[in-house]
Amino acid sequence: MRARPIPNKFNLLIGIKQKRFTFAKVSEYTFGGDKLVPSLFIDIFQMEIADEIRKIAEEKLPDPAQFIVDVVVTSKRGPKKILVILDGDEGITIDDCANLNRELSKELDGLPQLQESYFLEVSTPGLDQPLKLKRQYKKNIGRRLNVKLADKAVEGKLIDVTDDRITIEQETGIGKQKQVVPREIEFSE
């Protein structure tokens, strides 16, 4: 079965450049009677908003030891949800999150891309969040990690971080045959 265009069209915001909006005419498509939303354009728009929010958040950080790990913008139903993940070389307090939330909220209210309501959440990365930046690895030396590689997962204690690799102590063997072996894993893996 092939997708076929539906005659009515709508405008969808897909980009912002120097406070000018770029619009594109996009057709809705149907597949077997179900409408398909052009999510590619929505994803591009959300990525551009996330990049803009990241820049604003980084400017609002009071301490160079603090950094933004990620900005996630979602808008499934209802208001957009903006999640800003904040971390620091010496940790983050709840006051740090609250202060950034207040400062960021003032700036976001003036953005033309966010005229509708939104939820803003500033949080630290949880234990279930993957390490994304090299700064996070340095902060976690001495902790156990589960490193997912292309073909398998490796578990061990993080003992060293360089610009291009990490070193973990990996346990091999069983019982009396158990050994602790250092293993280097490049960031490119």
Side-chain angles (χ1 to χ4, degrees):
M1 189 173 290
R2 289 185 19 200
R4 54 192 152 97
I6 298 174
N8 60 340
K9 296 186 177 190
F10 61 96
N11 286 328
L12 179 66
L13 177 68
I14 62 166
I16 298 168
K17 297 219 172 66
Q18 300 173 345
K19 296 186 180 180
R20 287 186 6 223
F21 294 93
T22 305
F23 288 91
K25 291 271 188 187
V26 180
S27 299
E28 290 183 353
Y29 286 88
T30 183
F31 187 78
D34 296 328
K35 287 185 180 179
L36 299 176
V37 177
S39 63
L40 170 66
F41 295 112
I42 293 169
D43 291 343
I44 291 170
F45 179 65
Q46 288 177 346
M47 286 176 16
E48 288 180 0
I49 289 176
D51 290 342
E52 184 71 24
I53 293 170
R54 177 186 285 275
K55 288 175 191 171
I56 294 169
E58 287 172 345
E59 291 171 3
K60 298 295 179 185
L61 294 176
D63 185 356
Q66 297 175 349
F67 53 94
I68 303 298
V69 175
D70 202 3
V71 175
V72 180
V73 179
T74 57
S75 61
K76 301 237 178 191
R77 290 186 187 167
K80 284 185 181 2
K81 180 179 178 188
I82 301 168
L83 173 61
V84 178
I85 301 176
L86 173 67
D87 206 350
D89 296 329
E90 287 115 36
I92 294 293
T93 67
I94 190 125
D95 290 334
D96 294 331
C97 291
N99 291 337
L100 181 61
N101 190 307
R102 278 190 291 276
E103 291 294 319
L104 200 51
S105 182
K106 291 176 193 174
E107 290 289 325
L108 295 182
D109 288 342
L111 282 180
Q113 305 96 304
L114 293 174
Q115 293 303 312
E116 68 270 3
S117 60
Y118 62 87
F119 293 112
L120 174 61
E121 180 182 347
V122 175
S123 177
T124 59
L127 293 175
D128 60 336
Q129 292 288 317
L131 302 178
K132 295 183 176 185
L133 305 173
K134 290 179 186 174
R135 288 175 82 170
Q136 289 180 290
Y137 284 93
K138 290 178 183 175
K139 177 181 148 179
N140 285 289
I141 290 178
R143 292 193 175 170
R144 292 195 62 77
L145 298 180
N146 186 0
V147 181
K148 293 182 181 176
L149 303 172
D151 56 344
K152 62 181 176 177
V154 177
E155 190 172 320
K157 180 178 174 183
L158 181 63
I159 57 172
D160 189 32
V161 179
T162 64
D163 288 337
D164 57 347
R165 69 178 49 106
I166 62 171
T167 305
I168 62 171
E169 286 181 339
Q170 186 178 15
E171 292 180 0
T172 60
I174 302 172
K176 292 182 180 182
Q177 303 294 328
K178 193 179 278 189
Q179 295 179 348
V180 177
V181 179
R183 177 168 179 184
E184 292 185 349
I185 302 170
E186 293 192 25
F187 283 115
S188 61
E189 286 185 58

